Every structure is written in structure tokens, then in C-alpha cells.
Amino acid sequence: MIPQNTVSNPKATTNLIIVMGVSGSGKSTLAKALGDIYGYEYLDGDDFHSAESRALMAQAIPLTDEHRTPWVAAIKHRLQSNDSQHIHTILAFSGLKKKHRDELRSAGLRTIVLYLNGSKETIGDRITSRTGHFMSPALLDSQFAGMENPLDEQDVHLIDVWPPVDQVIAHARNIIDQHLVTQTHTSSQA
């Protein structure tokens, strides 16, 4: 049975939008745009990586759980800090592993996850054309192999990345307005 898409922690008063997907799927582009539209603080999960992890990825060496555990913990700590200050947040986060997605959900914010999905060819083309990113394009195969399918998780909403970016943003806004913004407004009136 496929769950009906909804939110995690529906009684929370601070919102979190996680934009997830493999490197090159457009997480940062979408998250920044949505942050501007909704006035949410934008966080990039990549900014929480240690210098060691960045160096490994630049050398096309996939990260292990040993590398990822303190990374996810640092992001969760920041989300909890934002929650205590009632700062709504949007996070660009690879989210390859379910346990990492669950760890961020456990921060306690009202959460929806926008899963950016696309073909390896489409995303590979994007990665090879971008400049200034530390992650080696050679890691794309390991990212696709490591992605644990999130589509059976109740707060995950699928967004295909092949349309033009304005259509991707419009699709994301429809999801947010239906499942998060409207629900927040309704909760605050109760």
C-alpha cells in the first residue's frame, strides 16, 4: 500500500522543507528559489560536510556512514536550533539513506520532503556542465546506487527534474501550498 503523501510531525509549529536527490538533480537551485518565495532560511547540506569529507568527494571517493553520521547530526542540531527560534527552513540534502532522512525528521519540525528524481543521463549532463562544485562527477553512479527509495515514506513527494526549472518550481509550490502552508495556517487558527 502506498501511503498518502502528507507531512511528518504535523503538530509542530516550525516548518521544514527538505529538497532531496542525487548530486546534480537541482536541489540547491530549487531550494534557494523556494526559500526566496516563502521567506524560509535556506540551508545547503553540503555546507555541513567536514573538510575531510569534501576532500574525499573531490577525489571521487564515496563517503561512508562513518563520514555521514556527524554530518547528519550537525544538520539536525541546526534544525533544532531553528525550531527553538521558530525559523522555517528549507534544506538541500542528498538524503540517500532512509536512516538519515529519519534522523532529520526526528528534529521535530513539521516536515515535507521533495524528492527530485531524474534519469542518470539527464543528471549526468547537468553535473558535467556545472562549475565550482567540489563533488566529482564520477560519484554519480555511487549516488544512484546508494539512493534508498523514499517513495514509501509518508512525507515524500516526487518531482521529476526534466521539465524547465520554472515548471519544477511551480510543481513544488503546489505541493508545499497544499501540504504544508495550508496546514500550518489551519493549525494556527485552531
Side-chain angles (χ1 to χ4, degrees):
M1 178 175 153
I2 296 174
Q4 182 175 353
N5 297 112
T6 183
V7 300
S8 292
N9 308 308
K11 294 184 190 279
T13 58
T14 305
N15 295 339
L16 169 62
I17 302 166
I18 299 173
V19 181
M20 67 163 280
V22 297
S23 184
S25 60
K27 298 182 300 289
S28 297
T29 299
L30 180 60
K32 285 177 188 172
L34 294 172
D36 289 344
I37 290 166
Y38 291 98
Y40 285 17
E41 180 180 43
Y42 165 73
L43 298 177
D44 192 322
D46 287 343
D47 293 341
F48 293 83
H49 279 299
S50 68
E52 175 191 6
S53 291
R54 286 173 175 262
L56 289 171
M57 289 185 284
Q59 297 170 48
I61 300 171
L63 298 181
T64 64
D65 275 346
E66 184 178 316
H67 297 110
R68 288 189 180 110
T69 298
W71 170 62
V72 174
I75 296 170
K76 179 181 176 180
H77 178 75
R78 176 61 177 272
L79 294 175
Q80 289 171 321
S81 175
N82 282 5
D83 184 31
S84 70
Q85 300 172 61
H86 200 65
I87 297 171
H88 300 303
T89 307
I90 186 156
L91 171 69
F93 176 70
S94 57
L96 300 180
K97 305 285 183 193
K98 183 180 186 307
K99 69 180 178 180
H100 298 148
R101 298 187 297 265
D102 287 345
E103 187 67 16
L104 295 185
R105 289 177 181 114
S106 77
L109 289 79
R110 180 193 312 255
T111 303
I112 64 167
V113 180
L114 305 177
Y115 173 37
L116 301 184
N117 189 30
S119 70
K120 195 180 293 186
E121 294 76 24
T122 298
I123 294 173
D125 288 345
R126 290 179 178 187
I127 287 180
T128 55
S129 66
R130 73 180 179 186
T131 58
H133 196 276
F134 62 86
M135 195 183 112
S136 168
L139 287 176
L140 185 59
D141 285 338
S142 73
Q143 290 240 318
F144 270 97
M147 176 61 77
E148 294 176 359
N149 185 354
L151 293 178
D152 63 348
E153 298 165 29
Q154 74 173 9
D155 59 357
V156 174
H157 304 264
L158 180 68
I159 298 179
D160 290 319
V161 299
W162 59 265
V165 70
D166 59 328
Q167 290 179 27
V168 172
I169 292 169
H171 184 187
R173 288 186 70 181
N174 286 337
I175 293 167
I176 293 164
D177 290 347
Q178 178 181 359
H179 296 283
L180 193 66
V181 175
T182 302
Q183 297 302 322
T184 301
H185 183 67
T186 302
S187 299
S188 65
Q189 291 181 338

